[in-house]
Amino acid sequence: MLVNEAVGTRQVDVDQIRLSLQARHDELTNEYEEAVAQSQVLRLVEVGDTAGDDQADSGTKTAERDTAQSLLRTILDRRAQYEHALSRLAEGTYGRCEGCTEPIPVERLEIYPSATTCVKCKQTRERRAA
């Protein structure tokens, strides 16, 4: 199935989609690298600044470290979604729902370019997970 058939686009649009997906992937890569650098600085500050810490200080540092790790995981997850979307575009399956193989509405892809499911399948999946 060609992406053109799935989302009703021309080759020019496919190229634009690819560029848009790749640009967002690159932005997320840069965000990740910046977050890693900030996390390393935070660790260096923690290592050099532990004298006189009480339980509140330790708790604050732990919370900051957990927040930084959560941010890194979130960025990596989002970047993986864009990698998957680029892979689907290359395979010709971008724009088709992975659940029911029906076309994903263009409006959904415009809002959430890395979407892999239509709204109906997404809602079904979320209900099952709840």
Side-chain angles (χ1 to χ4, degrees):
M1 182 60 54
L2 296 174
V3 68
N4 298 5
E5 295 171 16
V7 295
T9 60
R10 301 179 319 254
Q11 184 59 41
V12 173
D13 295 330
V14 173
D15 292 339
Q16 282 182 298
I17 292 168
R18 182 179 299 106
L19 289 173
S20 176
L21 291 171
Q22 187 62 54
R24 185 62 183 132
H25 179 271
D26 294 346
E27 288 172 10
L28 289 166
T29 298
N30 290 336
E31 273 185 54
Y32 178 76
E33 290 169 358
E34 289 173 14
V36 166
Q38 289 174 355
S39 180
Q40 290 172 342
V41 167
L42 181 64
R43 275 189 240 141
L44 289 174
V45 169
E46 282 181 17
V47 169
D49 188 28
T50 57
D53 279 2
D54 60 15
Q55 287 180 338
D57 292 331
S58 295
T60 299
K61 288 179 181 177
T62 299
E64 288 173 352
R65 188 172 43 250
D66 289 348
T67 299
Q69 290 301 312
S70 178
L71 175 64
L72 291 173
R73 281 190 301 275
T74 299
I75 293 170
L76 284 177
D77 287 346
R78 287 173 49 207
R79 190 174 72 174
Q81 291 172 358
Y82 278 85
E83 288 171 357
H84 185 63
L86 286 164
S87 173
R88 293 188 73 213
L89 188 64
E91 295 167 359
T93 59
Y94 180 83
R96 286 267 173 202
C97 177
E98 288 182 340
C100 66
T101 69
E102 291 296 315
I104 299 171
V106 173
E107 297 81 11
R108 177 162 168 73
L109 292 170
E110 287 174 346
I111 294 168
Y112 187 55
S114 60
T116 59
T117 57
C118 64
V119 174
K120 183 179 176 183
C121 287
K122 177 72 171 171
Q123 289 172 340
T124 301
R125 186 182 295 171
E126 287 174 350
R127 270 188 249 122
R128 285 182 187 156

